[in-house]
Amino acid sequence: MPATSIDPDSGTDSLTADALMVARMRLVLSVSALLAVGVDAGEVEQQTIGSTVWLVFSGFVVYSLGVHVCTRTGQPYFQGKAIHWLDILWFTLMVLVTGGGGSLYFLFYFFVILTSSFRWGYEEGARMTMAAVVSFATCGLGTGTGSDTPQLLMRTTFLLALGHMIGHWGGSKVELRRRLALLSQVSRLSNPRFGVNRTIASTMEKTLAFFEASHCILLMRDTDTSGWVLRSVGKSDAGESVSVETIDRVSESPLMALGVEQIVLSSRLPWPMSMVRADGHACDPRTHRWHPQDEQGLRHSAAVAAMLEARSFMTAPLPMRQGEGRIYVSSHEGQFRKSDALFLAHLMNQVFPVIETIRVLDGMASEAASKERLKLSLDLHDTAIQPYIGLKLGLSALRKKAGADNPLIDDLDKLAAMAESVVADLRHFAGTVKHGADSHCEFILPHLHRQAARIKTLYGIDIQIVVDGDVHLDDRMTAEVLQLVREGLNNICKHTHAHHGRIRIGCTDGKLQIRIENEACGTIFSNFRPRSISERAAALGGSAEVTQGMGGATAVLVEIPI
């Protein structure tokens, strides 16, 4: 599969660091080559160096210096793959003007093979190797004689063989870096407080992206209901949530017809290769030995490939202490390797023990929280709801004593309505605390509109709600977001004189962004830290900051990774 140079810790910054190092070594190489030409001309007095040679080598120094300067300034063009083709061109010119096939400067080709392989992987290294071999052979055939043919053949073979080895080792290094990056990512999965489903979905999406596959399917047996759950995500489902469905008669599905503990790799090969190599291979996890599938295994693999409409697929068992399952990764066009299937199994061995631990801790926390919620609901009823009910009754009695011409009647009615609204909210909140959140939470927009309508009634503040794109949140995240928004709106009501506000919610680059903004109202912007909102955001693995909006408005921006 294609590979990119991504450092597990520093991310794509490693590309810039590698490009800068390569540019620095290219500059050293060019200066050394120019000095070598000068020393060679000085040692033999009868030897004259043509102006073409000086021009080419001096031009390479200028070129190397320019690339180094542009790389240091962060120009993306000089950090990409095109720069290696320019190197091939320069090295070909140097070989051509210094004797063709007999030139010692053919060794410079290894510089571009080495740098391209260890930065971009085997495929790019193989391209550079073939380009170097063709360029060197062309120069040798165009400038040499018949007596130079053995030397040209040896050097070309040496360049091809060593270039292939360098490309292979460079590709292995890049692939290892990518795998370490993925293992580092899955070790920092979604916040466990969002539940097991979010963690599983995150793992499937990262696996799909890593292998550049078409589909990723996870088939698991639910330990609570003994039923089977099928989760799937496809390459065309970018930005969509993972599909979840329950399967009753799983024994009839081709997905469970393969060996329980086997790692299976199946690829539909073209006709000439299919006569030499088997389409399907299985690996015993105990011995780590691959062997061709038997006739029955090939039939099962063919059924799975037809079901997934895949040219190649790989599957591995899930290492679950309670329950069982398999993961399938398929591709419509690409071909997977045995090392890919083994790494998929290794990845599942790293992830699923963590997932099962999260499941156990989640169950323990839910049981403890249920008892604590009952206690809190009773305390809330006695300490908060009862005083407000008494306040409401007192206001009603005071309203009855006031005459019809009393100027405070409207204010008393407003206070009584406010107290009644607070009592209703508190009773609803106490019920939520006692029984817990609903298993299925509505889309967040209706909740926000109800909060905005309530604030408009009580405080006269118009709240505009904007949702950018499709925002899919589960019940836990919805509850957390509503609480964050409620805190922000309460701050607007208590600490500002604004008559207008706005809430903007959207998902960008894997982060949920919540922006709560209120108008300036003639006040001077001051930077502060909303303690409650910041603490809630930090508990979710995110952050909160206060920024200045248009016209001096104050905006609280909350970002939460999802």
Side-chain angles (χ1 to χ4, degrees), residues 141-463:
L141 293 175
T143 59
T145 60
S147 60
D148 297 330
T149 302
Q151 183 185 38
L152 176 63
L153 180 61
M154 286 297 299
R155 290 189 171 187
T156 303
T157 305
F158 177 72
L159 188 62
L160 179 63
L162 195 57
H164 173 75
M165 294 172 62
I166 293 173
H168 176 74
W169 285 330
S172 299
K173 176 254 186 183
V174 172
E175 185 67 18
L176 178 60
R177 177 180 287 185
R178 293 183 68 237
R179 291 180 178 181
L180 288 175
L182 179 62
L183 290 174
S184 177
Q185 291 173 7
V186 297
S187 66
R188 300 190 294 264
L189 292 172
S190 302
N191 196 316
R193 71 184 296 167
F194 296 153
V196 175
N197 292 333
R198 178 64 63 101
T199 305
I200 294 176
S202 177
T203 301
M204 294 179 64
E205 292 168 356
K206 287 179 173 60
T207 302
L208 183 76
F210 176 84
F211 290 108
E212 296 186 358
S214 302
H215 285 89
C216 181
I217 296 176
L218 199 66
L219 188 62
M220 299 173 55
R221 181 169 63 86
D222 193 336
T223 55
D224 297 330
T225 62
S226 298
W228 288 84
V229 178
L230 177 69
R231 292 176 172 87
S232 63
V233 60
K235 185 178 181 180
S236 58
D237 301 332
E240 300 291 336
S241 57
V242 174
S243 173
V244 181
E245 58 180 306
T246 302
I247 300 180
D248 297 328
R249 305 174 67 178
V250 70
S251 58
E252 299 178 2
S253 173
L255 297 177
M256 292 304 295
L258 300 174
V260 178
E261 297 183 355
Q262 285 185 335
I263 303 170
V264 177
L265 172 66
S266 176
S267 298
R268 188 170 66 249
L269 302 174
W271 173 75
M273 295 186 64
S274 62
M275 301 295 296
V276 180
R277 187 173 133 192
D279 290 345
H281 290 79
C283 177
D284 189 340
R286 293 185 294 270
T287 61
H288 295 284
R289 292 183 177 274
W290 287 92
H291 57 83
Q293 286 184 296
D294 54 20
E295 184 176 353
Q296 183 179 9
L298 290 175
R299 287 200 303 270
H300 292 328
S301 296
V304 173
M307 177 182 178
L308 302 178
E309 299 180 351
R311 180 182 178 185
S312 177
F313 76 87
M314 54 185 175
T315 176
L318 302 181
M320 301 175 63
R321 293 186 293 268
Q322 297 179 348
E324 57 181 315
R326 296 192 72 87
I327 183 172
Y328 286 83
V329 178
S330 64
S331 175
H332 294 328
E333 301 176 356
Q335 294 279 353
F336 297 117
R337 301 166 297 178
K338 294 179 180 178
S339 59
D340 294 328
L342 292 175
F343 177 67
L344 177 65
H346 177 71
L347 181 65
M348 295 300 105
N349 286 330
Q350 295 294 319
V351 172
F352 265 85
V354 178
I355 291 177
E356 289 194 314
T357 301
I358 293 176
R359 188 192 299 273
V360 172
L361 292 177
D362 191 43
M364 296 172 60
S366 298
E367 184 178 355
S370 178
K371 298 179 180 178
E372 189 65 22
R373 283 198 302 266
L374 178 59
K375 180 178 179 299
L376 287 176
S377 64
L378 296 175
D379 293 342
L380 184 62
H381 181 272
D382 296 337
T383 60
I385 299 180
Q386 289 294 347
Y388 267 101
I389 293 177
L391 176 62
K392 175 189 172 185
L393 295 176
L395 290 173
S396 299
L398 188 61
R399 169 66 176 81
K400 292 180 179 179
K401 291 181 179 180
D405 56 347
N406 194 311
L408 299 178
I409 287 181
D410 293 338
D411 293 335
L412 291 174
D413 289 339
K414 185 176 181 180
L415 287 174
M418 186 180 298
E420 185 176 359
S421 175
V422 171
V423 169
D425 289 342
L426 287 173
R427 281 176 172 168
H428 175 73
F429 181 69
T432 303
V433 169
K434 180 178 180 180
H435 301 290
D438 296 336
S439 59
H440 175 73
C441 194
E442 305 174 47
F443 179 63
I444 195 172
L445 197 56
H447 295 273
L448 296 179
H449 281 302
R450 283 196 291 271
Q451 287 190 15
R454 176 177 173 274
I455 289 178
K456 172 65 175 176
T457 302
L458 298 179
Y459 299 97
I461 302 176
D462 290 322
I463 302 297

Side-chain angles (χ1 to χ4, degrees), residues 528-549:
F528 64 97
R529 179 179 179 271
R531 184 176 59 85
S532 178
I533 294 179
S534 299
E535 291 176 354
R536 286 183 178 275
L540 298 173
S543 61
E545 63 175 346
V546 178
T547 60
Q548 185 174 8

Side-chain angles (χ1 to χ4, degrees), residues 456 459-463 492 496-501 518-521:
K456 172 65 175 176
Y459 299 97
I461 302 176
D462 290 322
I463 302 297
I492 295 177
T496 71
H497 301 286
H499 298 286
H500 299 279
N518 62 274
E519 60 182 354
C521 294

